[in-house]
Amino acid sequence: MTARVEPVTYLSGDGETTIPSYLASPSGDGPHPSVLILRGVAGPDAGYTQIARRLAEWGYVALLHGWKIRGANPPDAEVYDDLDGALAYLRSVDRVDQTRLAVFGFCRGGVHALMAARAHRELRVIVVFHGFAFRSATSQPGPEPYDLVEGVNVPMLVLHGTEDEQAPVEGMRRMEARMRTLGKVCEFTFYEGAPHGFAVRTHPGYEAHAATQSFEEARRFLATHLAAERARGG
């Protein structure tokens, strides 16, 4: 399937801040399922626009949300405002199937993905690549992802490297155990030897083999759970 990627802007939920972002679209009028992409801190946009294009080639409208307009470490209130703007923008795109929305979070964006899913019940699937179970020491204070998962009630896939130097695998295994104890629908896949950032081509930790495998897993997970949403009629 052919795809196009174009720059777009929309207004944050604060009513003041304009957020420069990218929209990737598949060919055809749709309606298409959609993925909100929440990038990490490191690396240029190019690695993430490549991911957006890949999703469009799979048949998804993908919005790469430009949250870094706020800098590398915005407070949660600004993150929530800007997520409101991103979801409002997706609601305005007529070729998006509003009953089949997912979120991909990478690195710090994995924390934001959990925040988004709790605040926006229209998000039906969460996929986190090399995310965090516990915020880093340099992050803004706020609820830990380990605790946020208690309020997550949609299927969640976590893809993590065993040699993640920023988000140690032990923390992610603790979060997996917590989610299973809570009865959440979740899958955790760990890539032996993979470092932080393995899935993003422009990240210093990029690792091609783990990246390929992780996107295959993500594609399967999306197809399984968003197809289920369509079968239920949203």
Side-chain angles (χ1 to χ4, degrees), residues 31-70:
H32 304 288
S34 182
V35 178
L36 173 64
I37 301 173
L38 303 176
R39 58 158 296 158
V41 173
D45 284 341
Y48 294 97
T49 56
Q50 181 186 58
I51 291 166
R53 181 179 295 278
R54 179 184 308 203
L55 283 161
E57 290 169 350
W58 293 352
Y60 297 85
V61 173
L63 178 63
L64 172 55
H65 173 50
W67 68 263
K68 280 193 68 182
I69 190 71
R70 301 287 195 175

PDB file of all heavy atoms in Angstrom, residues 31-70:
ATOM      1  N   PRO A  31     -12.818   4.525   5.824  1.00  0.00           N
ATOM      2  CA  PRO A  31     -12.046   4.939   7.000  1.00  0.00           C
ATOM      3  C   PRO A  31     -10.982   3.911   7.384  1.00  0.00           C
ATOM      4  O   PRO A  31     -11.185   2.710   7.258  1.00  0.00           O
ATOM      5  CB  PRO A  31     -13.104   5.064   8.095  1.00  0.00           C
ATOM      6  CG  PRO A  31     -14.178   4.110   7.688  1.00  0.00           C
ATOM      7  CD  PRO A  31     -14.193   4.123   6.194  1.00  0.00           C
ATOM      8  N   HIS A  32      -9.843   4.427   7.856  1.00  0.00           N
ATOM      9  CA  HIS A  32      -8.711   3.598   8.243  1.00  0.00           C
ATOM     10  C   HIS A  32      -8.542   3.623   9.763  1.00  0.00           C
ATOM     11  O   HIS A  32      -8.808   4.638  10.405  1.00  0.00           O
ATOM     12  CB  HIS A  32      -7.422   4.138   7.622  1.00  0.00           C
ATOM     13  CG  HIS A  32      -7.456   4.266   6.149  1.00  0.00           C
ATOM     14  ND1 HIS A  32      -7.417   3.188   5.290  1.00  0.00           N
ATOM     15  CD2 HIS A  32      -7.526   5.366   5.339  1.00  0.00           C
ATOM     16  CE1 HIS A  32      -7.443   3.609   4.035  1.00  0.00           C
ATOM     17  NE2 HIS A  32      -7.514   4.924   4.031  1.00  0.00           N
ATOM     18  N   PRO A  33      -8.068   2.535  10.346  1.00  0.00           N
ATOM     19  CA  PRO A  33      -7.650   2.606  11.753  1.00  0.00           C
ATOM     20  C   PRO A  33      -6.490   3.581  11.890  1.00  0.00           C
ATOM     21  O   PRO A  33      -5.830   3.924  10.906  1.00  0.00           O
ATOM     22  CB  PRO A  33      -7.238   1.163  12.068  1.00  0.00           C
ATOM     23  CG  PRO A  33      -6.859   0.576  10.746  1.00  0.00           C
ATOM     24  CD  PRO A  33      -7.757   1.236   9.731  1.00  0.00           C
ATOM     25  N   SER A  34      -6.245   4.011  13.111  1.00  0.00           N
ATOM     26  CA  SER A  34      -5.259   5.076  13.312  1.00  0.00           C
ATOM     27  C   SER A  34      -4.354   4.765  14.497  1.00  0.00           C
ATOM     28  O   SER A  34      -4.766   4.097  15.455  1.00  0.00           O
ATOM     29  CB  SER A  34      -5.975   6.408  13.551  1.00  0.00           C
ATOM     30  OG  SER A  34      -5.061   7.458  13.710  1.00  0.00           O
ATOM     31  N   VAL A  35      -3.122   5.283  14.420  1.00  0.00           N
ATOM     32  CA  VAL A  35      -2.148   5.143  15.506  1.00  0.00           C
ATOM     33  C   VAL A  35      -1.577   6.521  15.832  1.00  0.00           C
ATOM     34  O   VAL A  35      -1.079   7.222  14.944  1.00  0.00           O
ATOM     35  CB  VAL A  35      -1.006   4.178  15.134  1.00  0.00           C
ATOM     36  CG1 VAL A  35       0.019   4.102  16.276  1.00  0.00           C
ATOM     37  CG2 VAL A  35      -1.536   2.790  14.803  1.00  0.00           C
ATOM     38  N   LEU A  36      -1.649   6.889  17.098  1.00  0.00           N
ATOM     39  CA  LEU A  36      -0.979   8.079  17.601  1.00  0.00           C
ATOM     40  C   LEU A  36       0.423   7.671  18.033  1.00  0.00           C
ATOM     41  O   LEU A  36       0.586   6.783  18.873  1.00  0.00           O
ATOM     42  CB  LEU A  36      -1.759   8.648  18.792  1.00  0.00           C
ATOM     43  CG  LEU A  36      -1.121   9.809  19.554  1.00  0.00           C
ATOM     44  CD1 LEU A  36      -0.978  11.042  18.662  1.00  0.00           C
ATOM     45  CD2 LEU A  36      -1.926  10.135  20.815  1.00  0.00           C
ATOM     46  N   ILE A  37       1.449   8.288  17.449  1.00  0.00           N
ATOM     47  CA  ILE A  37       2.842   7.961  17.761  1.00  0.00           C
ATOM     48  C   ILE A  37       3.393   9.011  18.719  1.00  0.00           C
ATOM     49  O   ILE A  37       3.389  10.208  18.422  1.00  0.00           O
ATOM     50  CB  ILE A  37       3.702   7.924  16.485  1.00  0.00           C
ATOM     51  CG1 ILE A  37       3.174   6.885  15.499  1.00  0.00           C
ATOM     52  CG2 ILE A  37       5.161   7.632  16.838  1.00  0.00           C
ATOM     53  CD1 ILE A  37       3.876   6.915  14.146  1.00  0.00           C
ATOM     54  N   LEU A  38       3.889   8.526  19.862  1.00  0.00           N
ATOM     55  CA  LEU A  38       4.497   9.397  20.872  1.00  0.00           C
ATOM     56  C   LEU A  38       5.978   9.068  20.934  1.00  0.00           C
ATOM     57  O   LEU A  38       6.383   8.026  21.441  1.00  0.00           O
ATOM     58  CB  LEU A  38       3.817   9.181  22.224  1.00  0.00           C
ATOM     59  CG  LEU A  38       2.297   9.411  22.196  1.00  0.00           C
ATOM     60  CD1 LEU A  38       1.680   9.097  23.544  1.00  0.00           C
ATOM     61  CD2 LEU A  38       1.958  10.835  21.759  1.00  0.00           C
ATOM     62  N   ARG A  39       6.782   9.931  20.378  1.00  0.00           N
ATOM     63  CA  ARG A  39       8.205   9.697  20.193  1.00  0.00           C
ATOM     64  C   ARG A  39       8.968   9.780  21.511  1.00  0.00           C
ATOM     65  O   ARG A  39       8.445  10.231  22.538  1.00  0.00           O
ATOM     66  CB  ARG A  39       8.788  10.692  19.189  1.00  0.00           C
ATOM     67  CG  ARG A  39       8.603  12.161  19.573  1.00  0.00           C
ATOM     68  CD  ARG A  39       9.620  13.051  18.890  1.00  0.00           C
ATOM     69  NE  ARG A  39      10.973  12.725  19.332  1.00  0.00           N
ATOM     70  CZ  ARG A  39      12.062  13.011  18.632  1.00  0.00           C
ATOM     71  NH1 ARG A  39      11.968  13.646  17.486  1.00  0.00           N
ATOM     72  NH2 ARG A  39      13.255  12.695  19.107  1.00  0.00           N
ATOM     73  N   GLY A  40      10.235   9.362  21.458  1.00  0.00           N
ATOM     74  CA  GLY A  40      11.128   9.526  22.589  1.00  0.00           C
ATOM     75  C   GLY A  40      11.855  10.854  22.531  1.00  0.00           C
ATOM     76  O   GLY A  40      11.626  11.687  21.650  1.00  0.00           O
ATOM     77  N   VAL A  41      12.767  11.038  23.478  1.00  0.00           N
ATOM     78  CA  VAL A  41      13.500  12.298  23.576  1.00  0.00           C
ATOM     79  C   VAL A  41      14.628  12.368  22.548  1.00  0.00           C
ATOM     80  O   VAL A  41      14.826  13.387  21.887  1.00  0.00           O
ATOM     81  CB  VAL A  41      14.067  12.476  25.001  1.00  0.00           C
ATOM     82  CG1 VAL A  41      14.972  13.699  25.069  1.00  0.00           C
ATOM     83  CG2 VAL A  41      12.933  12.585  26.016  1.00  0.00           C
ATOM     84  N   ALA A  42      15.382  11.269  22.389  1.00  0.00           N
ATOM     85  CA  ALA A  42      16.613  11.303  21.588  1.00  0.00           C
ATOM     86  C   ALA A  42      16.340  11.178  20.099  1.00  0.00           C
ATOM     87  O   ALA A  42      15.397  10.505  19.682  1.00  0.00           O
ATOM     88  CB  ALA A  42      17.553  10.181  22.039  1.00  0.00           C
ATOM     89  N   GLY A  43      17.199  11.811  19.312  1.00  0.00           N
ATOM     90  CA  GLY A  43      17.187  11.625  17.864  1.00  0.00           C
ATOM     91  C   GLY A  43      16.258  12.577  17.139  1.00  0.00           C
ATOM     92  O   GLY A  43      15.329  13.138  17.715  1.00  0.00           O
ATOM     93  N   PRO A  44      16.501  12.773  15.844  1.00  0.00           N
ATOM     94  CA  PRO A  44      15.674  13.660  15.030  1.00  0.00           C
ATOM     95  C   PRO A  44      14.334  13.018  14.674  1.00  0.00           C
ATOM     96  O   PRO A  44      14.113  11.826  14.883  1.00  0.00           O
ATOM     97  CB  PRO A  44      16.525  13.872  13.777  1.00  0.00           C
ATOM     98  CG  PRO A  44      17.324  12.603  13.664  1.00  0.00           C
ATOM     99  CD  PRO A  44      17.616  12.181  15.072  1.00  0.00           C
ATOM    100  N   ASP A  45      13.449  13.837  14.100  1.00  0.00           N
ATOM    101  CA  ASP A  45      12.132  13.347  13.703  1.00  0.00           C
ATOM    102  C   ASP A  45      12.199  12.253  12.639  1.00  0.00           C
ATOM    103  O   ASP A  45      11.287  11.437  12.528  1.00  0.00           O
ATOM    104  CB  ASP A  45      11.280  14.495  13.159  1.00  0.00           C
ATOM    105  CG  ASP A  45      10.732  15.399  14.259  1.00  0.00           C
ATOM    106  OD1 ASP A  45      10.684  14.973  15.428  1.00  0.00           O
ATOM    107  OD2 ASP A  45      10.337  16.534  13.931  1.00  0.00           O
ATOM    108  N   ALA A  46      13.276  12.237  11.843  1.00  0.00           N
ATOM    109  CA  ALA A  46      13.322  11.347  10.680  1.00  0.00           C
ATOM    110  C   ALA A  46      13.102   9.884  11.045  1.00  0.00           C
ATOM    111  O   ALA A  46      12.448   9.136  10.298  1.00  0.00           O
ATOM    112  CB  ALA A  46      14.657  11.508   9.954  1.00  0.00           C
ATOM    113  N   GLY A  47      13.634   9.439  12.182  1.00  0.00           N
ATOM    114  CA  GLY A  47      13.435   8.055  12.577  1.00  0.00           C
ATOM    115  C   GLY A  47      11.987   7.746  12.861  1.00  0.00           C
ATOM    116  O   GLY A  47      11.522   6.620  12.633  1.00  0.00           O
ATOM    117  N   TYR A  48      11.254   8.737  13.335  1.00  0.00           N
ATOM    118  CA  TYR A  48       9.847   8.538  13.680  1.00  0.00           C
ATOM    119  C   TYR A  48       8.933   8.747  12.482  1.00  0.00           C
ATOM    120  O   TYR A  48       7.890   8.087  12.377  1.00  0.00           O
ATOM    121  CB  TYR A  48       9.462   9.452  14.840  1.00  0.00           C
ATOM    122  CG  TYR A  48      10.188   9.070  16.111  1.00  0.00           C
ATOM    123  CD1 TYR A  48      11.356   9.730  16.495  1.00  0.00           C
ATOM    124  CD2 TYR A  48       9.736   8.025  16.895  1.00  0.00           C
ATOM    125  CE1 TYR A  48      12.040   9.358  17.643  1.00  0.00           C
ATOM    126  CE2 TYR A  48      10.416   7.644  18.047  1.00  0.00           C
ATOM    127  CZ  TYR A  48      11.563   8.315  18.414  1.00  0.00           C
ATOM    128  OH  TYR A  48      12.249   7.939  19.547  1.00  0.00           O
ATOM    129  N   THR A  49       9.289   9.646  11.570  1.00  0.00           N
ATOM    130  CA  THR A  49       8.481   9.760  10.346  1.00  0.00           C
ATOM    131  C   THR A  49       8.604   8.478   9.519  1.00  0.00           C
ATOM    132  O   THR A  49       7.650   8.083   8.839  1.00  0.00           O
ATOM    133  CB  THR A  49       8.880  10.984   9.510  1.00  0.00           C
ATOM    134  OG1 THR A  49      10.275  10.928   9.199  1.00  0.00           O
ATOM    135  CG2 THR A  49       8.566  12.274  10.236  1.00  0.00           C
ATOM    136  N   GLN A  50       9.751   7.815   9.598  1.00  0.00           N
ATOM    137  CA  GLN A  50       9.896   6.519   8.935  1.00  0.00           C
ATOM    138  C   GLN A  50       8.922   5.502   9.532  1.00  0.00           C
ATOM    139  O   GLN A  50       8.290   4.710   8.804  1.00  0.00           O
ATOM    140  CB  GLN A  50      11.326   6.016   9.064  1.00  0.00           C
ATOM    141  CG  GLN A  50      11.574   4.679   8.366  1.00  0.00           C
ATOM    142  CD  GLN A  50      12.973   4.148   8.638  1.00  0.00           C
ATOM    143  OE1 GLN A  50      13.345   3.945   9.790  1.00  0.00           O
ATOM    144  NE2 GLN A  50      13.739   3.948   7.578  1.00  0.00           N
ATOM    145  N   ILE A  51       8.772   5.517  10.838  1.00  0.00           N
ATOM    146  CA  ILE A  51       7.823   4.616  11.500  1.00  0.00           C
ATOM    147  C   ILE A  51       6.393   4.975  11.108  1.00  0.00           C
ATOM    148  O   ILE A  51       5.563   4.096  10.839  1.00  0.00           O
ATOM    149  CB  ILE A  51       8.022   4.683  13.026  1.00  0.00           C
ATOM    150  CG1 ILE A  51       9.363   4.047  13.389  1.00  0.00           C
ATOM    151  CG2 ILE A  51       6.877   3.996  13.757  1.00  0.00           C
ATOM    152  CD1 ILE A  51       9.832   4.343  14.807  1.00  0.00           C
ATOM    153  N   ALA A  52       6.087   6.270  11.047  1.00  0.00           N
ATOM    154  CA  ALA A  52       4.753   6.697  10.624  1.00  0.00           C
ATOM    155  C   ALA A  52       4.450   6.216   9.207  1.00  0.00           C
ATOM    156  O   ALA A  52       3.348   5.727   8.921  1.00  0.00           O
ATOM    157  CB  ALA A  52       4.636   8.220  10.710  1.00  0.00           C
ATOM    158  N   ARG A  53       5.439   6.341   8.328  1.00  0.00           N
ATOM    159  CA  ARG A  53       5.240   5.866   6.956  1.00  0.00           C
ATOM    160  C   ARG A  53       5.003   4.358   6.937  1.00  0.00           C
ATOM    161  O   ARG A  53       4.148   3.859   6.200  1.00  0.00           O
ATOM    162  CB  ARG A  53       6.444   6.232   6.089  1.00  0.00           C
ATOM    163  CG  ARG A  53       6.293   5.795   4.629  1.00  0.00           C
ATOM    164  CD  ARG A  53       7.489   6.207   3.798  1.00  0.00           C
ATOM    165  NE  ARG A  53       7.610   7.648   3.687  1.00  0.00           N
ATOM    166  CZ  ARG A  53       6.926   8.382   2.822  1.00  0.00           C
ATOM    167  NH1 ARG A  53       6.068   7.800   1.982  1.00  0.00           N
ATOM    168  NH2 ARG A  53       7.095   9.693   2.776  1.00  0.00           N
ATOM    169  N   ARG A  54       5.750   3.620   7.743  1.00  0.00           N
ATOM    170  CA  ARG A  54       5.569   2.167   7.794  1.00  0.00           C
ATOM    171  C   ARG A  54       4.140   1.822   8.217  1.00  0.00           C
ATOM    172  O   ARG A  54       3.502   0.944   7.629  1.00  0.00           O
ATOM    173  CB  ARG A  54       6.554   1.555   8.782  1.00  0.00           C
ATOM    174  CG  ARG A  54       6.410   0.051   8.922  1.00  0.00           C
ATOM    175  CD  ARG A  54       7.330  -0.520   9.970  1.00  0.00           C
ATOM    176  NE  ARG A  54       8.710  -0.131   9.783  1.00  0.00           N
ATOM    177  CZ  ARG A  54       9.747  -0.802  10.267  1.00  0.00           C
ATOM    178  NH1 ARG A  54       9.539  -1.909  10.963  1.00  0.00           N
ATOM    179  NH2 ARG A  54      10.960  -0.381  10.072  1.00  0.00           N
ATOM    180  N   LEU A  55       3.630   2.513   9.218  1.00  0.00           N
ATOM    181  CA  LEU A  55       2.263   2.261   9.663  1.00  0.00           C
ATOM    182  C   LEU A  55       1.248   2.566   8.559  1.00  0.00           C
ATOM    183  O   LEU A  55       0.278   1.825   8.359  1.00  0.00           O
ATOM    184  CB  LEU A  55       1.956   3.084  10.910  1.00  0.00           C
ATOM    185  CG  LEU A  55       2.544   2.533  12.206  1.00  0.00           C
ATOM    186  CD1 LEU A  55       2.592   3.608  13.284  1.00  0.00           C
ATOM    187  CD2 LEU A  55       1.735   1.340  12.688  1.00  0.00           C
ATOM    188  N   ALA A  56       1.471   3.653   7.839  1.00  0.00           N
ATOM    189  CA  ALA A  56       0.570   3.976   6.727  1.00  0.00           C
ATOM    190  C   ALA A  56       0.626   2.908   5.652  1.00  0.00           C
ATOM    191  O   ALA A  56      -0.401   2.562   5.046  1.00  0.00           O
ATOM    192  CB  ALA A  56       0.917   5.347   6.158  1.00  0.00           C
ATOM    193  N   GLU A  57       1.800   2.356   5.414  1.00  0.00           N
ATOM    194  CA  GLU A  57       1.917   1.259   4.442  1.00  0.00           C
ATOM    195  C   GLU A  57       1.187   0.009   4.916  1.00  0.00           C
ATOM    196  O   GLU A  57       0.750  -0.806   4.103  1.00  0.00           O
ATOM    197  CB  GLU A  57       3.393   0.965   4.172  1.00  0.00           C
ATOM    198  CG  GLU A  57       4.083   2.074   3.381  1.00  0.00           C
ATOM    199  CD  GLU A  57       5.595   1.934   3.331  1.00  0.00           C
ATOM    200  OE1 GLU A  57       6.137   1.068   4.069  1.00  0.00           O
ATOM    201  OE2 GLU A  57       6.227   2.691   2.571  1.00  0.00           O
ATOM    202  N   TRP A  58       1.030  -0.134   6.218  1.00  0.00           N
ATOM    203  CA  TRP A  58       0.229  -1.242   6.764  1.00  0.00           C
ATOM    204  C   TRP A  58      -1.271  -0.964   6.667  1.00  0.00           C
ATOM    205  O   TRP A  58      -2.075  -1.846   6.938  1.00  0.00           O
ATOM    206  CB  TRP A  58       0.559  -1.465   8.234  1.00  0.00           C
ATOM    207  CG  TRP A  58       1.928  -1.958   8.537  1.00  0.00           C
ATOM    208  CD1 TRP A  58       2.879  -2.383   7.655  1.00  0.00           C
ATOM    209  CD2 TRP A  58       2.511  -2.070   9.839  1.00  0.00           C
ATOM    210  NE1 TRP A  58       4.017  -2.750   8.337  1.00  0.00           N
ATOM    211  CE2 TRP A  58       3.818  -2.578   9.672  1.00  0.00           C
ATOM    212  CE3 TRP A  58       2.054  -1.794  11.135  1.00  0.00           C
ATOM    213  CZ2 TRP A  58       4.672  -2.814  10.764  1.00  0.00           C
ATOM    214  CZ3 TRP A  58       2.906  -2.020  12.205  1.00  0.00           C
ATOM    215  CH2 TRP A  58       4.198  -2.528  12.023  1.00  0.00           C
ATOM    216  N   GLY A  59      -1.648   0.287   6.376  1.00  0.00           N
ATOM    217  CA  GLY A  59      -3.061   0.631   6.264  1.00  0.00           C
ATOM    218  C   GLY A  59      -3.605   1.494   7.389  1.00  0.00           C
ATOM    219  O   GLY A  59      -4.822   1.662   7.507  1.00  0.00           O
ATOM    220  N   TYR A  60      -2.716   2.086   8.204  1.00  0.00           N
ATOM    221  CA  TYR A  60      -3.132   2.931   9.320  1.00  0.00           C
ATOM    222  C   TYR A  60      -2.834   4.402   9.024  1.00  0.00           C
ATOM    223  O   TYR A  60      -1.789   4.719   8.451  1.00  0.00           O
ATOM    224  CB  TYR A  60      -2.370   2.540  10.595  1.00  0.00           C
ATOM    225  CG  TYR A  60      -2.656   1.136  11.065  1.00  0.00           C
ATOM    226  CD1 TYR A  60      -1.951   0.057  10.534  1.00  0.00           C
ATOM    227  CD2 TYR A  60      -3.631   0.878  12.018  1.00  0.00           C
ATOM    228  CE1 TYR A  60      -2.210  -1.244  10.940  1.00  0.00           C
ATOM    229  CE2 TYR A  60      -3.894  -0.418  12.442  1.00  0.00           C
ATOM    230  CZ  TYR A  60      -3.177  -1.478  11.899  1.00  0.00           C
ATOM    231  OH  TYR A  60      -3.443  -2.768  12.300  1.00  0.00           O
ATOM    232  N   VAL A  61      -3.727   5.283   9.442  1.00  0.00           N
ATOM    233  CA  VAL A  61      -3.388   6.702   9.520  1.00  0.00           C
ATOM    234  C   VAL A  61      -2.551   6.881  10.780  1.00  0.00           C
ATOM    235  O   VAL A  61      -2.940   6.438  11.868  1.00  0.00           O
ATOM    236  CB  VAL A  61      -4.650   7.577   9.591  1.00  0.00           C
ATOM    237  CG1 VAL A  61      -4.273   9.031   9.849  1.00  0.00           C
ATOM    238  CG2 VAL A  61      -5.463   7.459   8.308  1.00  0.00           C
ATOM    239  N   ALA A  62      -1.379   7.495  10.654  1.00  0.00           N
ATOM    240  CA  ALA A  62      -0.470   7.633  11.789  1.00  0.00           C
ATOM    241  C   ALA A  62      -0.158   9.103  12.025  1.00  0.00           C
ATOM    242  O   ALA A  62       0.292   9.803  11.114  1.00  0.00           O
ATOM    243  CB  ALA A  62       0.822   6.855  11.538  1.00  0.00           C
ATOM    244  N   LEU A  63      -0.403   9.563  13.244  1.00  0.00           N
ATOM    245  CA  LEU A  63      -0.079  10.935  13.635  1.00  0.00           C
ATOM    246  C   LEU A  63       1.138  10.912  14.544  1.00  0.00           C
ATOM    247  O   LEU A  63       1.095  10.378  15.659  1.00  0.00           O
ATOM    248  CB  LEU A  63      -1.257  11.573  14.366  1.00  0.00           C
ATOM    249  CG  LEU A  63      -1.014  13.003  14.880  1.00  0.00           C
ATOM    250  CD1 LEU A  63      -0.755  13.971  13.726  1.00  0.00           C
ATOM    251  CD2 LEU A  63      -2.188  13.478  15.738  1.00  0.00           C
ATOM    252  N   LEU A  64       2.251  11.470  14.051  1.00  0.00           N
ATOM    253  CA  LEU A  64       3.454  11.639  14.868  1.00  0.00           C
ATOM    254  C   LEU A  64       3.317  12.958  15.613  1.00  0.00           C
ATOM    255  O   LEU A  64       3.449  14.038  15.041  1.00  0.00           O
ATOM    256  CB  LEU A  64       4.707  11.628  13.988  1.00  0.00           C
ATOM    257  CG  LEU A  64       6.028  11.978  14.683  1.00  0.00           C
ATOM    258  CD1 LEU A  64       6.287  11.084  15.887  1.00  0.00           C
ATOM    259  CD2 LEU A  64       7.176  11.915  13.688  1.00  0.00           C
ATOM    260  N   HIS A  65       3.004  12.844  16.886  1.00  0.00           N
ATOM    261  CA  HIS A  65       2.690  13.993  17.736  1.00  0.00           C
ATOM    262  C   HIS A  65       3.972  14.728  18.143  1.00  0.00           C
ATOM    263  O   HIS A  65       4.898  14.124  18.703  1.00  0.00           O
ATOM    264  CB  HIS A  65       1.948  13.468  18.972  1.00  0.00           C
ATOM    265  CG  HIS A  65       1.672  14.470  20.035  1.00  0.00           C
ATOM    266  ND1 HIS A  65       1.096  15.699  19.782  1.00  0.00           N
ATOM    267  CD2 HIS A  65       1.860  14.413  21.385  1.00  0.00           C
ATOM    268  CE1 HIS A  65       0.946  16.349  20.920  1.00  0.00           C
ATOM    269  NE2 HIS A  65       1.409  15.595  21.902  1.00  0.00           N
ATOM    270  N   GLY A  66       4.007  16.024  17.893  1.00  0.00           N
ATOM    271  CA  GLY A  66       5.214  16.809  18.130  1.00  0.00           C
ATOM    272  C   GLY A  66       5.338  17.355  19.542  1.00  0.00           C
ATOM    273  O   GLY A  66       5.521  18.569  19.735  1.00  0.00           O
ATOM    274  N   TRP A  67       5.299  16.465  20.534  1.00  0.00           N
ATOM    275  CA  TRP A  67       5.297  16.940  21.921  1.00  0.00           C
ATOM    276  C   TRP A  67       6.581  17.653  22.319  1.00  0.00           C
ATOM    277  O   TRP A  67       6.584  18.448  23.277  1.00  0.00           O
ATOM    278  CB  TRP A  67       4.999  15.796  22.886  1.00  0.00           C
ATOM    279  CG  TRP A  67       6.044  14.720  23.019  1.00  0.00           C
ATOM    280  CD1 TRP A  67       6.057  13.520  22.380  1.00  0.00           C
ATOM    281  CD2 TRP A  67       7.203  14.733  23.860  1.00  0.00           C
ATOM    282  NE1 TRP A  67       7.158  12.780  22.756  1.00  0.00           N
ATOM    283  CE2 TRP A  67       7.873  13.501  23.676  1.00  0.00           C
ATOM    284  CE3 TRP A  67       7.751  15.655  24.760  1.00  0.00           C
ATOM    285  CZ2 TRP A  67       9.058  13.180  24.341  1.00  0.00           C
ATOM    286  CZ3 TRP A  67       8.928  15.343  25.435  1.00  0.00           C
ATOM    287  CH2 TRP A  67       9.571  14.111  25.226  1.00  0.00           C
ATOM    288  N   LYS A  68       7.677  17.431  21.567  1.00  0.00           N
ATOM    289  CA  LYS A  68       8.939  18.060  21.968  1.00  0.00           C
ATOM    290  C   LYS A  68       8.972  19.570  21.714  1.00  0.00           C
ATOM    291  O   LYS A  68       9.960  20.226  22.061  1.00  0.00           O
ATOM    292  CB  LYS A  68      10.111  17.367  21.284  1.00  0.00           C
ATOM    293  CG  LYS A  68      10.502  16.054  21.974  1.00  0.00           C
ATOM    294  CD  LYS A  68      11.846  15.537  21.491  1.00  0.00           C
ATOM    295  CE  LYS A  68      12.978  16.424  21.934  1.00  0.00           C
ATOM    296  NZ  LYS A  68      14.286  15.943  21.429  1.00  0.00           N
ATOM    297  N   ILE A  69       7.896  20.128  21.179  1.00  0.00           N
ATOM    298  CA  ILE A  69       7.791  21.586  21.129  1.00  0.00           C
ATOM    299  C   ILE A  69       7.904  22.164  22.547  1.00  0.00           C
ATOM    300  O   ILE A  69       8.285  23.315  22.749  1.00  0.00           O
ATOM    301  CB  ILE A  69       6.451  22.010  20.468  1.00  0.00           C
ATOM    302  CG1 ILE A  69       6.401  23.508  20.180  1.00  0.00           C
ATOM    303  CG2 ILE A  69       5.253  21.617  21.320  1.00  0.00           C
ATOM    304  CD1 ILE A  69       7.301  23.951  19.070  1.00  0.00           C
ATOM    305  N   ARG A  70       7.616  21.336  23.547  1.00  0.00           N
ATOM    306  CA  ARG A  70       7.693  21.742  24.951  1.00  0.00           C
ATOM    307  C   ARG A  70       9.087  21.557  25.550  1.00  0.00           C
ATOM    308  O   ARG A  70       9.306  21.856  26.720  1.00  0.00           O
ATOM    309  CB  ARG A  70       6.712  20.911  25.786  1.00  0.00           C
ATOM    310  CG  ARG A  70       5.269  21.014  25.365  1.00  0.00           C
ATOM    311  CD  ARG A  70       4.673  22.344  25.730  1.00  0.00           C
ATOM    312  NE  ARG A  70       3.214  22.301  25.647  1.00  0.00           N
ATOM    313  CZ  ARG A  70       2.417  23.298  26.008  1.00  0.00           C
ATOM    314  NH1 ARG A  70       2.937  24.423  26.469  1.00  0.00           N
ATOM    315  NH2 ARG A  70       1.117  23.187  25.904  1.00  0.00           N
TER     316      ARG A  70
END
